[in-house]
């Protein structure tokens, strides 16, 4: 087995179910059991002990139960004391390693986030945090060795979502000075997209007095029959927005499949995702921690950078990838710069106060704490300047060595940009090529970067005036038209 092909950054992901044309199963029973053995070897070395306790959880995917059974059986055969927690969330699985009198030594979450129903994957945790890319490479390398069988292992069933929900409720009650029903009189709706986030309505909101009437798709269903549970997608945000407006709710919450990401909607239907989501949590944290740094991914807007600066914060724009922004936040803190937040426009948000764990449920809990304390969320967004237009294009790269080919395009663009009137390369660029354009050339910016995992160069364009995005695309079109390895047809059509 070439298990290395299953690595997706700091996760394992593959096709777990047949049924999609030209998508053969890659994460089969044999692969899962081999990886479980590799993780057992990894833990023996990392923890420095032969016996350890592991929790296993899964989201609502159809293949999750079978994968969990194979994981639990194999880890137990390697001498581990395993607890199958059933339906759970990715952040909750990490919390099993740091919660209670006898935390687990490690945890495995079975999920493929927002990917299609036939996909699944694995995320690994210890009390030190989530596995890094190098850790996953090592686990997959060790998976090729013989199973490290050992006696004394066991498998039992358990649950953790109630414990996790209680931790979130306690935060909201504390923000309301001990009031046991701080959300009474408020209607708050949840759209879980049939993923693992439905618990939030029943176990967090309702016990605190909230009316959750109008919530949608709370029941787990790995077919995702209503919409893909992904707050980045317009159709997902349209769904929670409709739920808020139809039920006249005070607030709406939407999660991705495994609840490590979230989005929200205000009572008037204003969506809280991407730059607005970052601005809202930044305003809260900068009130509590003046001067702190906020690490974001590379595609955040100019207006957001101005907003953070106006609130006294230090904005650090960094590379895409939730582990990248988290690691940059850790680096800043180690260097003496307080950094309370690492967040992506995708909805991954990791707070220093919460183990720098990207946790969608914790993020919205922070917003609910504001409501419980009687503060206005709308007021926190005052002064945020938003772009008039923003567009994203995904340019496919031809050829097998797409990374080298894509980097060659970026290197060429960096030289080209220096020669263009009205263009200036952004001084704080950490990924790809980000170029600011003056008013005469589009009044905005573009960023061309290499995708983390796919043979694609994503192109983001943002402008502060109407039709400015098309002007910027026209500025860039002559360069793109000469890049024969790129399919830039979508951009060129947009310029017409």
């Amino acid at each position: 087995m070439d298990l290395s092909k299953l690595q997706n950054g700091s996760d394992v992901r593959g096709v777990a179910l047949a049924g999609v044309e030209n998508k053969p199963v890659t994460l089969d029973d044999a692969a899962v059991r081999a990886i479980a053995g590799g993780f057992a070897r990894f833990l023996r070395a990392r923890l420095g002990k032969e016996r350890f306790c592991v929790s296993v959880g899964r989201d609502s995917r159809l293949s999750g139960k079978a994968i969990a059974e194979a994981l639990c059986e194999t880890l137990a055969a390697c001498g581990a004391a395993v607890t199958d927690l059933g339906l759970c969330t990715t952040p909750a699985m990490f919390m099993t390693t740091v919660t209670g009198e006898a935390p687990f030594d490690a945890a495995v979450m079975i999920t493929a986030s927002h990917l299609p129903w036939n996909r699944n994957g694995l995320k690994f945790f210890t009390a030190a945090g989530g596995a890094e890319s190098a850790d996953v490479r090592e686990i997959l390398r060790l998976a090729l060795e013989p199973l490290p069988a050992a006696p004394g292992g066991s498998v039992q069933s358990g649950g953790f979502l109630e414990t996790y929900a209680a931790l979130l409720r306690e935060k909201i009650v504390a923000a309301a000075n001990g009031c046991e029903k701080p959300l009474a009189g408020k209607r708050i709706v949840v759209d879980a997209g049939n993923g693992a986030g439905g618990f939030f309505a029943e176990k967090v909101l309702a016990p605190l007095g909230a009316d959750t009437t109008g919530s949608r798709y709370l029941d787990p269903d790995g077919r995702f029959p209503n919409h893909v549970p992904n707050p980045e997608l317009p159709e997902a945000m349209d769904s929670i927005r409709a739920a808020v407006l139809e039920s006249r709710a005070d607030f709406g919450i939407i999660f991705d499949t495994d609840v490590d990401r979230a989005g929200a909607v205000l009572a008037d239907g204003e969506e809280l995702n991407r730059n607005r989501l970052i601005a809202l949590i930044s305003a809260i944290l900068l009130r509590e921690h003046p001067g702190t740094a906020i690490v974001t991914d590379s595609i955040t807007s100019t207006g957001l950078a101005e907003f953070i600066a106006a609130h006294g914060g230090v904005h650090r724009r960094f590379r895409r990838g939730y582990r990248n922004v988290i690691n940059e936040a850790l680096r800043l803190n180690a260097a003496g710069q307080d950094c309370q937040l690492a967040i992506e426009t995708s909805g991954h948000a990791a707070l220093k106060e919460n183990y720098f764990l990207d946790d969608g449920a914790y993020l919205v809990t922070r917003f609910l704490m504001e409501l419980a304390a009687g503060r206005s969320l709308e007021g926190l967004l005052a002064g945020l300047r938003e772009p008039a237009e923003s567009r994203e294009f995904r340019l496919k790269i031809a050829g097998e060595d797409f990374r080298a080919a894509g980097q060659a395009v970026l290197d060429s663009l960096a030289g080209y940009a220096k020669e263009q009137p009205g263009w200036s390369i952004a001084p704080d660029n950490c990924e790809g090529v980000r170029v600011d354009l003056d008013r005469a050339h589009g009044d905005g910016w573009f960023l061309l970067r290499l995708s983390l995992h796919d043979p694609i160069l994503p192109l983001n364009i943002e402008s502060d005036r109407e039709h400015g995005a098309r002007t910027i695309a026209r500025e860039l079109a002559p360069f793109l038209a000469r890049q024969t390895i790129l399919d830039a047809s979508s951009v060129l059509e947009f310029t017409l």
Side-chain angles (χ1 to χ4, degrees):
M1 294 181 289
D2 186 2
L3 297 177
S4 65
K5 293 182 178 179
L6 295 176
Q7 181 166 4
N8 185 72
S10 55
D11 304 347
V12 166
R13 288 184 183 175
V15 177
L17 290 176
V20 177
E21 188 176 0
N22 298 322
K23 296 293 182 183
V25 172
T26 56
L27 190 63
D28 58 10
D29 185 81
V32 171
R33 291 179 183 276
I35 294 169
F39 189 48
R41 286 186 181 275
F42 175 85
L43 289 177
R44 286 179 184 175
R46 179 61 58 91
L47 301 174
K49 55 185 181 180
E50 292 295 312
R51 296 286 182 267
F52 40 83
C53 301
V54 182
S55 60
V56 173
R58 54 187 168 86
D59 66 19
S60 61
R61 291 175 179 278
L62 300 175
S63 57
K65 185 176 181 180
I67 293 175
E69 290 175 354
L71 269 173
C72 292
E73 289 175 4
T74 308
L75 288 169
C78 297
V82 185
T83 302
D84 184 350
L85 299 178
L87 186 74
C88 208
T89 73
T90 293
M93 290 307 298
F94 165 75
M95 292 299 293
T96 67
T97 70
V98 294
T99 302
E101 295 182 1
F104 288 90
D105 294 304
V108 185
M109 177 65 180
I110 303 166
T111 182
S113 187
H114 59 279
L115 294 181
W117 62 270
N118 63 321
R119 304 288 298 275
N120 216 327
L122 306 170
K123 294 185 177 183
F124 307 97
F125 298 96
T126 66
E132 300 280 356
S133 294
D135 297 328
V136 175
R137 282 195 297 274
E138 178 66 3
I139 291 168
L140 295 179
R141 185 189 69 80
L142 293 171
L144 299 177
E145 299 185 8
L147 190 72
S154 62
V155 179
Q156 64 179 349
S157 297
F160 187 73
L161 275 182
E162 178 55 52
T163 299
Y164 176 63
L167 296 174
L168 301 178
R169 293 197 305 267
E170 289 169 6
K171 299 284 292 185
I172 299 169
V173 168
N177 295 318
C179 175
E180 293 185 0
K181 300 285 185 180
L183 301 180
K186 295 188 182 299
R187 177 168 291 181
I188 302 174
V189 294
V190 175
D191 184 332
N194 302 113
F199 82 97
F200 199 86
E202 175 189 355
K203 297 182 181 296
V204 178
L205 296 176
L208 297 178
D211 178 358
T212 62
T213 305
S215 292
R216 294 182 170 187
Y217 319 135
L218 303 183
D219 294 333
D221 187 339
R223 297 168 299 171
F224 309 128
N226 295 291
H227 65 75
V228 176
N230 181 2
E232 281 192 283
L233 296 181
E235 55 264 37
M237 292 305 296
D238 287 345
S239 178
I240 184 59
R241 185 174 186 273
V244 168
L245 295 177
E246 290 171 11
S247 61
R248 298 184 180 180
D250 298 287
F251 194 56
I253 298 164
I254 186 167
F255 296 116
D256 75 339
T257 318
D258 61 327
V259 197
D260 60 359
R261 293 188 293 133
V265 172
L266 297 174
D268 63 358
E270 181 179 0
E271 296 178 2
L272 295 175
N273 62 353
R274 302 178 69 85
N275 289 291
R276 284 192 290 271
L277 188 75
I278 298 172
L280 183 58
I281 187 62
S282 295
I284 293 169
L285 293 174
L286 283 164
R287 184 188 68 219
E288 299 171 354
H289 304 276
T292 195
I294 307 294
V295 178
T296 71
D297 60 7
S298 59
I299 64 172
T300 48
S301 72
T302 303
L304 176 66
E306 295 169 351
F307 180 88
I308 291 172
H311 282 72
V314 177
H315 182 207
R316 172 63 168 159
R317 188 184 285 123
F318 202 61
R319 294 190 298 273
R320 290 275 282 180
Y322 71 95
R323 288 302 314 178
N324 289 332
V325 294
I326 290 171
N327 287 341
E328 177 64 5
L330 293 171
R331 186 193 69 80
L332 289 175
N333 280 297
Q337 166 66 66
D338 180 64
C339 178
Q340 292 290 326
L341 175 65
I343 185 167
E344 278 199 298
T345 49
S346 64
H348 280 288
L351 279 70
K352 183 179 181 180
E353 66 191 49
N354 189 42
Y355 304 94
F356 271 119
L357 172 68
D358 51 318
D359 185 344
Y362 191 90
L363 176 66
V364 297
T365 292
R366 270 317 221 119
F367 299 153
L368 295 173
M369 288 165 62
E370 295 291 302
L371 295 178
R375 289 189 282 265
S376 164
L377 296 178
E378 291 86 346
L380 291 171
L381 291 172
L384 175 63
R385 182 175 65 84
E386 301 203 61
E389 293 184 342
S390 60
R391 294 292 299 261
E392 181 173 275
F393 304 90
R394 299 177 70 80
L395 314 184
K396 293 183 179 179
I397 306 170
E400 293 186 5
D401 193 354
F402 71 88
R403 292 194 176 280
Q407 188 58 53
V409 172
L410 296 176
D411 292 342
S412 179
L413 177 58
Y416 180 83
K418 294 176 182 178
E419 302 172 356
Q420 306 311 304
W423 293 28
S424 59
I425 296 178
D428 59 347
N429 182 62
C430 290
E431 179 178 33
V433 179
R434 181 169 173 139
V435 176
D436 297 320
L437 294 96
D438 65 18
R439 293 183 61 85
H441 296 82
D443 198 13
W445 56 268
F446 71 78
L447 170 66
L448 188 67
R449 61 182 178 85
L450 187 62
S451 170
L452 293 175
H453 309 296
D454 301 317
I456 288 171
L457 284 174
L459 170 65
N460 292 89
I461 298 176
E462 184 177 291
S463 175
D464 289 329
R465 64 177 172 83
E466 188 177 2
H467 306 306
R470 180 170 280 107
T471 299
I472 293 173
R474 287 171 176 165
E475 289 272 326
L476 188 55
F479 173 83
L480 294 177
R482 296 201 301 266
Q483 308 307 310
T484 57
I485 65 165
L486 291 184
D487 179 3
S489 56
S490 58
V491 182
L492 300 179
E493 290 170 5
F494 177 65
T495 65
L496 301 178

